[in-house]
Coordinates of all heavy atoms in Angstrom, one line a residue:
Q1 N -10.8 44.7 52.1 CA -9.6 44.0 51.7 C -8.9 44.7 50.5 O -7.7 44.9 50.5 CB -9.9 42.6 51.4 CG -10.3 41.7 52.6 CD -10.6 40.3 52.3 OE1 -10.5 39.9 51.1 NE2 -11.1 39.6 53.3
A2 N -9.8 45.2 49.6 CA -9.2 45.9 48.4 C -8.7 47.2 48.8 O -7.6 47.6 48.4 CB -10.3 46.0 47.4
L3 N -9.4 47.9 49.7 CA -8.9 49.2 50.2 C -7.6 49.1 51.0 O -6.7 50.0 50.9 CB -10.0 49.9 51.1 CG -11.2 50.4 50.3 CD1 -12.3 50.8 51.3 CD2 -10.8 51.7 49.5
S4 N -7.4 48.0 51.7 CA -6.1 47.9 52.4 C -4.9 47.8 51.5 O -3.8 48.0 52.0 CB -6.2 46.6 53.3 OG -6.3 45.4 52.5
S5 N -5.1 47.5 50.3 CA -4.0 47.3 49.3 C -3.3 48.7 49.0 O -2.2 48.7 48.4 CB -4.4 46.7 48.1 OG -5.4 47.5 47.4
I6 N -3.9 49.8 49.3 CA -3.3 51.1 49.0 C -2.2 51.4 50.1 O -1.5 52.4 49.9 CB -4.4 52.2 49.0 CG1 -4.9 52.5 50.4 CG2 -5.5 51.9 48.0 CD1 -5.8 53.7 50.4
D7 N -2.1 50.7 51.1 CA -1.1 50.9 52.1 C 0.3 50.6 51.5 O 0.5 49.4 51.0 CB -1.3 50.0 53.3 CG -0.4 50.3 54.5 OD1 0.6 51.0 54.3 OD2 -0.8 50.0 55.6
P8 N 1.2 51.5 51.4 CA 2.5 51.3 50.8 C 3.3 50.2 51.5 O 4.2 49.7 50.9 CB 3.2 52.7 51.0 CG 2.1 53.7 51.1 CD 1.0 52.9 51.9
V9 N 2.9 49.9 52.7 CA 3.7 48.8 53.4 C 3.6 47.5 52.7 O 4.5 46.7 52.7 CB 3.1 48.7 54.9 CG1 3.7 47.5 55.6 CG2 3.5 49.9 55.7
V10 N 2.4 47.2 52.1 CA 2.2 45.9 51.4 C 2.7 45.9 50.0 O 2.5 44.9 49.3 CB 0.7 45.5 51.4 CG1 0.2 45.4 52.9 CG2 -0.2 46.5 50.7
R11 N 3.2 47.0 49.5 CA 3.7 47.1 48.1 C 4.8 46.1 47.9 O 5.7 45.9 48.7 CB 4.2 48.5 47.8 CG 4.5 48.8 46.3 CD 4.8 50.2 46.1 NE 6.1 50.6 46.6 CZ 7.2 50.5 45.9 NH1 7.2 50.1 44.6 NH2 8.4 50.9 46.4
G12 N 4.8 45.4 46.8 CA 5.7 44.3 46.5 C 5.2 42.9 46.7 O 5.7 41.9 46.2
H13 N 4.1 42.8 47.5 CA 3.5 41.5 47.7 C 2.5 41.2 46.6 O 1.9 42.0 46.0 CB 2.7 41.5 49.1 CG 2.4 40.2 49.6 ND1 1.4 39.4 49.1 CD2 3.0 39.4 50.6 CE1 1.3 38.3 49.8 NE2 2.3 38.3 50.7
S14 N 2.4 39.9 46.3 CA 1.5 39.5 45.2 C 0.1 39.8 45.5 O -0.7 40.1 44.6 CB 1.7 37.9 44.9 OG 1.4 37.2 46.1
Q15 N -0.3 39.7 46.7 CA -1.7 40.0 47.1 C -2.0 41.5 46.9 O -3.2 41.8 46.6 CB -2.0 39.6 48.5 CG -2.3 38.1 48.7 CD -3.6 37.7 48.1 OE1 -4.6 38.4 48.1 NE2 -3.6 36.5 47.4
A16 N -1.0 42.3 47.0 CA -1.2 43.7 46.8 C -1.7 44.0 45.3 O -2.6 44.8 45.1 CB 0.0 44.5 47.1
V17 N -1.1 43.3 44.4 CA -1.5 43.4 43.0 C -2.9 43.0 42.8 O -3.7 43.6 42.2 CB -0.5 42.6 42.1 CG1 -1.0 42.6 40.6 CG2 0.9 43.1 42.2
I18 N -3.3 41.8 43.4 CA -4.6 41.3 43.2 C -5.7 42.2 43.8 O -6.7 42.5 43.2 CB -4.7 39.9 43.9 CG1 -3.8 38.9 43.2 CG2 -6.1 39.4 43.9 CD1 -3.7 37.5 43.9
Q19 N -5.4 42.7 45.0 CA -6.4 43.6 45.7 C -6.4 45.0 45.0 O -7.5 45.6 45.0 CB -6.0 43.7 47.1 CG -6.1 42.4 47.9 CD -7.5 41.8 47.9 OE1 -8.5 42.5 47.7 NE2 -7.6 40.5 48.0
L20 N -5.3 45.5 44.5 CA -5.4 46.8 43.8 C -6.2 46.6 42.5 O -6.9 47.6 42.1 CB -4.0 47.2 43.5 CG -3.2 48.0 44.6 CD1 -1.8 48.3 44.1 CD2 -4.0 49.3 44.9
K21 N -6.1 45.5 41.8 CA -6.9 45.3 40.6 C -8.3 45.2 41.0 O -9.2 45.7 40.3 CB -6.4 44.0 39.9 CG -5.1 44.1 39.2 CD -4.7 42.9 38.5 CE -3.4 43.0 37.7 NZ -3.0 41.8 37.0
E22 N -8.6 44.6 42.1 CA -10.0 44.5 42.6 C -10.5 45.9 42.9 O -11.7 46.2 42.6 CB -10.1 43.6 43.8 CG -11.5 43.3 44.3 CD -12.3 42.5 43.4 OE1 -11.8 41.7 42.6 OE2 -13.6 42.6 43.4
L23 N -9.7 46.7 43.5 CA -10.1 48.0 43.9 C -10.3 48.9 42.6 O -11.3 49.7 42.6 CB -9.0 48.7 44.7 CG -9.3 50.1 45.2 CD1 -10.5 50.1 46.2 CD2 -8.1 50.7 46.0
A24 N -9.5 48.6 41.6 CA -9.7 49.3 40.3 C -11.1 49.0 39.7 O -11.7 49.8 39.0 CB -8.6 49.0 39.4
I25 N -11.5 47.7 39.9 CA -12.8 47.3 39.3 C -13.9 47.9 40.1 O -14.9 48.4 39.5 CB -12.9 45.7 39.4 CG1 -11.9 45.1 38.5 CG2 -14.3 45.3 39.0 CD1 -11.8 43.6 38.6
I26 N -13.8 48.0 41.4 CA -14.8 48.6 42.3 C -15.0 50.1 41.9 O -16.1 50.6 41.9 CB -14.4 48.5 43.8 CG1 -14.4 47.0 44.2 CG2 -15.4 49.3 44.6 CD1 -13.9 46.7 45.6
M27 N -13.8 50.8 41.6 CA -13.8 52.2 41.3 C -13.6 52.5 39.8 O -13.0 53.5 39.5 CB -12.8 52.9 42.2 CG -13.0 52.8 43.6 SD -12.0 53.9 44.6 CE -12.7 53.7 46.2
K28 N -14.1 51.6 39.0 CA -13.9 51.8 37.6 C -14.6 53.0 37.0 O -14.2 53.5 35.9 CB -14.4 50.5 36.8 CG -15.9 50.2 37.0 CD -16.2 48.9 36.3 CE -17.7 48.6 36.5 NZ -18.1 47.3 35.8
H29 N -15.6 53.5 37.7 CA -16.3 54.7 37.3 C -15.4 55.9 37.3 O -15.7 57.0 36.8 CB -17.6 54.9 38.1 CG -17.3 55.1 39.6 ND1 -17.0 54.0 40.4 CD2 -17.3 56.1 40.4 CE1 -16.8 54.4 41.6 NE2 -17.0 55.7 41.6
L30 N -14.3 55.8 38.1 CA -13.4 57.0 38.2 C -12.3 56.9 37.2 O -11.6 57.9 37.0 CB -12.8 57.0 39.6 CG -13.7 57.1 40.8 CD1 -13.0 57.0 42.1 CD2 -14.5 58.4 40.8
V31 N -12.1 55.8 36.5 CA -11.0 55.6 35.6 C -11.5 55.8 34.1 O -12.6 55.3 33.8 CB -10.4 54.2 35.7 CG1 -9.2 54.0 34.7 CG2 -10.0 53.9 37.1
P32 N -10.8 56.6 33.3 CA -11.3 56.8 31.9 C -11.4 55.5 31.2 O -10.5 54.6 31.4 CB -10.1 57.7 31.4 CG -9.6 58.4 32.5 CD -9.7 57.5 33.7
T33 N -12.3 55.4 30.3 CA -12.6 54.1 29.6 C -11.4 53.6 28.8 O -11.1 52.5 28.6 CB -13.8 54.2 28.7 OG1 -13.6 55.3 27.9 CG2 -15.1 54.4 29.6
E34 N -10.6 54.6 28.3 CA -9.5 54.2 27.4 C -8.2 53.9 28.2 O -7.2 53.4 27.7 CB -9.1 55.4 26.5 CG -8.6 56.7 27.2 CD -9.7 57.6 27.7 OE1 -10.9 57.1 27.6 OE2 -9.4 58.7 28.1
S35 N -8.3 54.0 29.6 CA -7.1 53.7 30.4 C -7.2 52.3 31.0 O -8.3 51.8 31.3 CB -7.0 54.7 31.5 OG -6.9 56.0 31.0
D36 N -6.1 51.7 31.2 CA -6.0 50.3 31.8 C -5.1 50.4 33.0 O -3.9 50.4 32.8 CB -5.5 49.3 30.8 CG -5.5 47.9 31.3 OD1 -6.1 47.7 32.4 OD2 -4.9 47.0 30.7
P37 N -5.6 50.4 34.2 CA -4.8 50.5 35.4 C -4.0 49.2 35.7 O -3.1 49.2 36.5 CB -5.8 50.8 36.5 CG -7.1 50.3 36.0 CD -7.1 50.4 34.5
S38 N -4.3 48.1 35.0 CA -3.7 46.8 35.4 C -2.2 46.9 35.2 O -1.4 46.5 36.1 CB -4.3 45.7 34.5 OG -5.7 45.6 34.7
M39 N -1.7 47.4 34.0 CA -0.3 47.5 33.8 C 0.4 48.5 34.7 O 1.5 48.2 35.2 CB 0.0 47.8 32.3 CG -0.5 46.8 31.3 SD 0.2 45.2 31.6 CE 1.9 45.5 31.4
E40 N -0.3 49.5 35.0 CA 0.2 50.5 36.0 C 0.4 49.9 37.4 O 1.4 50.2 38.1 CB -0.6 51.7 36.0 CG -0.7 52.6 34.7 CD -1.5 53.8 34.9 OE1 -1.9 54.2 36.0 OE2 -1.8 54.5 33.9
I41 N -0.5 49.1 37.8 CA -0.5 48.4 39.1 C 0.7 47.5 39.2 O 1.5 47.5 40.2 CB -1.8 47.7 39.4 CG1 -2.9 48.6 39.6 CG2 -1.6 46.8 40.6 CD1 -4.3 48.0 39.7
L42 N 1.0 46.8 38.1 CA 2.2 45.9 38.0 C 3.5 46.7 38.2 O 4.4 46.3 38.9 CB 2.1 45.1 36.8 CG 1.0 44.0 36.6 CD1 1.0 43.4 35.3 CD2 1.2 42.9 37.7
R43 N 3.5 47.8 37.4 CA 4.8 48.6 37.5 C 4.9 49.3 38.8 O 6.0 49.3 39.4 CB 4.7 49.7 36.4 CG 4.7 49.1 35.0 CD 5.2 50.2 34.0 NE 4.4 51.4 34.1 CZ 3.3 51.6 33.4 NH1 2.8 50.7 32.6 NH2 2.6 52.8 33.6
Y44 N 3.8 49.7 39.4 CA 3.9 50.4 40.7 C 4.4 49.4 41.8 O 5.1 49.7 42.7 CB 2.5 50.9 41.1 CG 2.2 51.0 42.6 CD1 2.8 52.1 43.3 CD2 1.5 50.1 43.3 CE1 2.6 52.2 44.7 CE2 1.3 50.2 44.6 CZ 1.8 51.2 45.3 OH 1.6 51.3 46.7
N45 N 3.9 48.1 41.7 CA 4.2 47.2 42.7 C 5.7 46.8 42.8 O 6.2 46.4 43.8 CB 3.4 45.9 42.5 CG 3.3 45.0 43.7 OD1 3.0 45.5 44.8 ND2 3.6 43.7 43.6

C-alpha cells in the first residue's frame, strides 16, 4: 500500500501523503538523518 503511493496518478489525494510518509518510514535507512521528507511530501503532493 505504501509502495503504491509512488504512482503519480494518486498525487493530490490525501491518502497519497499518508502512504508516502509510511514509505519514508519503511525506507528511513536511505534518507540522511538531518533530512525530513515529510515537508517535501506535502509540497510534492
Side-chain angles (χ1 to χ4, degrees):
Q1 292 177 6
L3 285 169
S4 67
S5 63
I6 70 174
D7 191 338
V9 172
V10 301
R11 192 172 72 91
H13 197 282
S14 59
Q15 277 296 320
V17 175
I18 296 174
Q19 295 301 333
L20 273 175
K21 289 183 178 180
E22 184 67 26
L23 183 62
I25 294 174
I26 295 174
M27 299 191 173
K28 61 183 179 180
H29 59 286
L30 301 176
V31 182
T33 54
E34 66 275 6
S35 301
D36 182 14
S38 299
M39 296 304 298
E40 293 184 10
I41 291 173
L42 292 174
R43 294 201 308 271
Y44 155 78
N45 199 49

